[in-house]
């Protein structure tokens, strides 16, 4: 067996019972965690070979995987402290591992088992399938199948093509299922997860926004004491919720810095500053637009834009922070998906865009880092914000990229191109709010393309910018679908932008989903 590593998050809530999810690289692992959290049960995702069992661990779930248990380099966890000692649920790869490595046999499927299937046999007397209907739809996604189970394993569910759809091990609270209960297409998947988490594991369902706020504030008070903390506000949900949590814990010892990089939405700097002042936060506003524009002059490559913005942000933030005496901590609005990505099953991710990191700040400023939200998913951050009494116009704000409009302006950034996009974006977002569409989408924005098109205005031929409108539906930005905005709305917005924003003569609507596209264009 491989060596077992200890891995834990610094902000983990003391004595909070949890479900441990061991990640084997599945695209659905975060979705398992989200479903468990929806049951008001705390859970953590850890790499399959970097985990620690303690008294708060109530049960363990093994995720799916793109790998095969038959491969020579198959991912092999050390379950010596888990199997037969704690409730254990293997999902897809996890189920195949528990069969293959303990006396059963896994073989390639005669035909790839992918997509919807129905349970033609269900043992509803088994705790895992209590309340699950015969013919319940489930989602399969695997190239291998369990051909034979050990003698101590009992089949508890089957489909037409998969005899061992699910099993239980005798004299253990260990289960395996070859389908994915966490995905939407498994219509009674939440029933199965609830049966495992609540009935089998005995979790109390006490992971709520109010309980998080109470314990997080207590932890921050203990951790920070009378130390001073500085935090960079962005105007977004994450940094705002982090600021209010810290303010409730340490009061005047928190100083927030809000930097205007010249790439915010129209009038956003002053509107957000005003909102923060109403919330009682100690906020320093810094207009550094000219510095950022100068740094971006002549740059067209997206990552180079990010690096220029990041470098100048560090310079401005560091300068302002040094005006505050005796600061010891840098607070960040890091949320759980960022943490998971940085400790993937293959090691630290190399795919995180540079603007997700506050690259260089802690080292340059010689500060310790505190991340009060690093246990929460995005929707949980909003619920915690509501519990804290943060105003809806901040909590309901769409996610906005760290580099701002710089990555929504394709090609070179100039003050004039920023002005054009700000005007067009303001018309689009204002119209969404007026028509009751803003709160129905996850994220929306306008993108100024580095392409011109021929147009006619009055009796004159024009050759001006093309603007793309984007609106997507999502829960956490990991995947996203384009939103079917009404044609009448799009026509109204297009007409208003072309008539009122000099420099744009054509408007298009982006109908790409993620994947294969991304939400932002750069």
């Amino acid at each position: 067996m491989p060596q077992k590593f200890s891995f834990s998050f610094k902000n983990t809530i003391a004595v909070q019972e949890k479900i441990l999810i061991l990640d084997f690289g599945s695209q659905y692992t975060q979705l398992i965690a989200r479903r468990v959290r929806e049951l008001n049960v705390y859970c953590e995702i850890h790499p399959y070979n970097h985990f620690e069992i303690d008294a708060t661990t109530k049960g363990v779930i093994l995720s799916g995987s793109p790998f095969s248990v038959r491969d020579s380099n198959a991912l092999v966890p050390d379950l010596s402290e888990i199997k037969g000692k704690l409730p254990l649920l293997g999902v897809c790869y996890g189920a195949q591992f528990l069969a293959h490595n303990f006396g059963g046999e896994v073989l390639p499927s005669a035909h790839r088992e992918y997509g919807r299937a129905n349970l033609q046999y269900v043992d509803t007397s088994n705790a895992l399938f209590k309340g699950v209907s015969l013919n319940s739809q489930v989602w399969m996604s695997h190239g291998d199948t369990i051909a034979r189970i050990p003698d101590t394993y009992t089949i508890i569910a089957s489909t037409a093509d998969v005899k061992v759809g699910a099993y239980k091990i005798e004299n253990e609270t260990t289960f395996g299922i070859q389908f994915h209960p966490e995905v939407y297409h498994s219509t009674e998947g939440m029933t199965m997860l609830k049966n495992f988490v609540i009935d089998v594991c005995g979790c109390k369902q006490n992971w709520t926004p109010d309980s998080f706020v109470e314990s997080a504030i207590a932890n921050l008070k203990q951790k920070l004491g009378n130390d001073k903390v500085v935090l960079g506000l962005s105007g977004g949900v994450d940094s705002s919720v982090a600021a209010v949590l810290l303010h409730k814990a340490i009061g005047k010892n928190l100083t927030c810095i809000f930097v205007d990089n010249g790439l915010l939405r129209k009038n956003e700097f002053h509107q957000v500053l005003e909102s923060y002042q109403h919330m009682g936060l100690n906020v320093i506003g810094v207009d550094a637009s000219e510095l950022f524009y100068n740094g971006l002059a002549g740059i067209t490559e997206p990552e180079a834009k990010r690096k220029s913005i990041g470098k100048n942000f560090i310079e401005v933030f560091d300068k302002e922070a040094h005006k505050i005496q005796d600061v010891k901590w840098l607070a960040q609005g890091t949320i759980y998906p960022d943490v998971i990505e940085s400790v993937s099953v293959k090691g630290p991710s190399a795919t995180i865009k540079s603007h997700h990191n506050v690259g260089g700040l802690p080292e340059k400023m010689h500060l310790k880092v505190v991340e009060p939200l690093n246990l929460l998913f995005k929707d949980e951050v909003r619920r915690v914000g509501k519990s804290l009494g943060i105003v809806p116009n901040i909590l309901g704000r769409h996610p906005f990229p760290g580099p701002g409009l710089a990555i929504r302006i394709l090609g070179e950034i100039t003050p004039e191109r920023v002005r054009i996009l700000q005007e067009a974006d303001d018309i689009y977002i204002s119209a969404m709010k007026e028509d009751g569409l803003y709160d129905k989408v996850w994220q929306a924005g306008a993108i100024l393309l580095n392409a011109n098109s021929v147009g006619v205005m009055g009796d004159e031929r024009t050759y001006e910018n093309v603007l793309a409108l984007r609106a997507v539906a999502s829960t956490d930005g990991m995947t996203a679908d384009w939103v079917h905005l009404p044609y009448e709305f799009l026509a109204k917005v297009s007409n208003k932008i072309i008539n009122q924003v000099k420099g744009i003569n054509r408007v298009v609507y982006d109908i790409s989903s993620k994947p294969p596209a991304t939400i932002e264009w750069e």
Side-chain angles (χ1 to χ4, degrees):
M1 290 288 185
Q3 181 182 0
K4 180 168 69 67
F5 298 91
S6 171
F7 182 84
S8 61
F9 296 111
K10 293 179 181 177
N11 281 15
T12 299
I13 307 301
V15 306
Q16 174 70 51
E17 63 183 21
K18 66 176 178 284
I19 295 293
L20 187 65
I21 300 168
L22 301 189
D23 180 24
F24 294 85
S26 170
Q27 62 179 323
Y28 299 133
T29 303
Q30 284 199 34
L31 196 50
I32 298 174
R34 293 180 58 81
R35 295 290 179 256
V36 173
R37 298 276 185 98
E38 286 171 15
L39 295 168
N40 290 331
V41 173
Y42 177 62
C43 64
E44 290 180 2
I45 297 173
H46 293 264
Y48 75 97
N49 58 351
H50 290 61
F51 66 90
E52 184 178 84
I53 302 299
D54 59 32
T56 67
T57 309
K58 301 286 285 184
V60 178
I61 298 175
L62 309 181
S63 83
S65 177
F67 302 99
S68 168
V69 297
R70 299 178 299 104
D71 292 345
S72 58
N73 60 346
L75 308 181
V76 180
D78 178 359
L79 301 181
S80 57
E81 294 182 29
I82 300 172
K83 186 176 176 293
K85 300 176 182 178
L86 288 170
L88 176 62
L89 173 63
V91 174
C92 198
Y93 180 95
Q96 293 171 359
F97 173 83
L98 290 170
H100 183 73
N101 286 61
F102 292 90
E105 186 177 24
V106 173
L107 296 173
S109 302
H111 53 84
R112 191 165 187 267
E113 294 160 356
Y114 182 85
R116 294 174 178 83
N118 296 91
L119 298 179
Q120 294 195 346
Y121 164 67
V122 182
D123 180 2
T124 54
S125 68
N126 185 277
L128 189 66
F129 288 105
K130 183 180 69 176
V132 175
S133 312
L134 190 64
N135 292 317
S136 182
Q137 179 180 287
V138 296
W139 183 260
M140 296 286 186
S141 181
H142 53 265
D144 292 341
T145 194
I146 299 172
R148 179 173 55 81
I149 54 176
D151 294 340
T152 56
Y153 290 35
T154 303
I155 295 173
I156 55 176
S158 307
T159 70
D161 297 319
V162 183
K163 183 178 180 182
V164 187
Y167 60 75
K168 180 187 181 296
I169 301 180
E170 294 174 15
N171 301 318
E172 292 183 20
T173 49
T174 301
F175 306 84
I177 51 180
Q178 287 207 79
F179 52 87
H180 289 270
E182 68 274 19
V183 303
Y184 171 79
H185 303 295
S186 292
T187 53
E188 295 180 283
M190 275 298 284
T191 300
M192 301 170 203
L193 288 173
K194 182 178 181 181
N195 287 342
F196 177 73
V197 171
I198 308 305
D199 295 343
V200 177
C201 298
C203 293
K204 297 185 180 67
Q205 295 183 275
N206 57 2
W207 173 253
T208 64
D210 288 348
S211 70
F212 175 83
V213 168
E214 182 181 354
S215 55
I217 290 173
N219 282 355
L220 289 168
K221 284 181 176 179
Q222 181 179 11
K223 184 174 190 173
L224 303 174
N226 291 319
D227 290 351
K228 289 186 179 179
V229 179
V230 64
L231 177 143
L233 284 172
S234 68
V237 176
D238 300 339
S239 66
S240 300
V241 174
V244 174
L245 260 180
L246 284 159
H247 180 69
K248 287 187 176 292
I250 62 173
K252 60 181 174 50
N253 282 338
L254 171 68
T255 300
C256 303
I257 299 173
F258 182 32
V259 177
D260 182 2
N261 57 14
L263 302 163
L264 303 173
R265 284 181 154 138
K266 183 179 178 180
N267 299 326
E268 185 173 34
F269 182 61
H270 299 292
Q271 290 171 355
V272 171
L273 267 182
E274 188 177 343
S275 296
Y276 284 142
Q277 285 163 0
H278 285 312
M279 292 160 60
L281 295 176
N282 176 25
V283 184
I284 298 170
V286 185
D287 183 353
S289 305
E290 188 174 345
L291 174 68
F292 284 87
Y293 288 154
N294 290 338
L296 288 166
I299 296 176
T300 58
E301 200 274 322
E303 190 62 14
K305 291 179 184 178
R306 289 188 174 90
K307 287 179 178 176
S308 173
I309 292 166
K311 173 179 172 294
N312 284 321
F313 176 80
I314 290 173
E315 181 180 323
V316 174
F317 190 91
D318 184 51
K319 181 180 177 182
E320 293 299 324
H322 271 94
K323 295 177 183 178
I324 308 164
Q325 295 290 318
D326 302 321
V327 173
K328 294 185 179 178
W329 296 84
L330 172 70
Q332 296 180 184
T334 309
I335 62 175
Y336 198 39
D338 302 326
V339 175
I340 297 167
E341 188 175 19
S342 67
V343 287
S344 68
V345 296
K346 295 181 180 179
S349 172
T351 61
I352 305 175
K353 293 175 183 175
S354 58
H355 73 271
H356 286 175
N357 306 319
V358 206
L361 261 179
E363 295 83 0
K364 181 180 178 68
M365 300 173 67
H366 306 292
L367 299 178
K368 294 180 283 186
V369 175
V370 58
E371 299 172 320
L373 306 180
N374 70 351
L375 300 177
L376 302 181
F377 287 102
K378 191 77 170 186
D379 53 333
E380 292 177 315
V381 174
R382 284 196 168 94
R383 289 199 290 271
V384 165
K386 185 176 180 180
S387 178
L388 287 165
I390 296 175
V391 291
N393 69 309
I394 286 184
L395 284 185
R397 283 168 59 87
H398 290 176
F400 191 64
L405 298 180
I407 59 169
R408 292 183 179 175
I409 297 175
L410 276 57
E412 187 175 1
I413 311 296
T414 65
E416 175 61 11
R417 298 195 81 204
V418 171
R419 183 200 64 77
I420 290 172
L421 183 55
Q422 284 178 331
E423 295 294 337
D425 179 81
D426 185 58
I427 290 171
Y428 179 38
I429 298 300
S430 297
M432 292 193 82
K433 291 178 178 178
E434 289 165 8
D435 286 28
L437 296 170
Y438 185 84
D439 292 333
K440 295 179 181 178
V441 305
W442 161 262
Q443 189 171 359
I447 300 96
L448 190 64
L449 307 190
N450 54 349
N452 288 1
S453 74
V454 175
V456 177
M457 291 187 179
D459 295 325
E460 295 183 4
R461 177 181 181 275
T462 62
Y463 191 60
E464 295 182 332
N465 293 281
V466 180
L467 183 85
L469 302 180
R470 183 82 159 128
V472 297
S474 182
T475 52
D476 54 18
M478 303 297 290
T479 60
D481 291 323
W482 64 278
V483 175
H484 294 240
L485 293 177
Y487 292 144
E488 298 79 8
F489 171 80
L490 291 172
K492 178 180 71 174
V493 170
S494 172
N495 186 57
K496 194 169 183 180
I497 288 173
I498 291 171
N499 284 334
Q500 295 186 14
V501 184
K502 183 175 174 55
I504 295 173
N505 69 354
R506 188 179 299 267
V507 175
V508 298
Y509 187 56
D510 182 349
I511 57 170
S512 311
S513 294
K514 177 187 178 182
T518 54
I519 294 177
E520 300 294 343
W521 279 47
E522 289 191 343

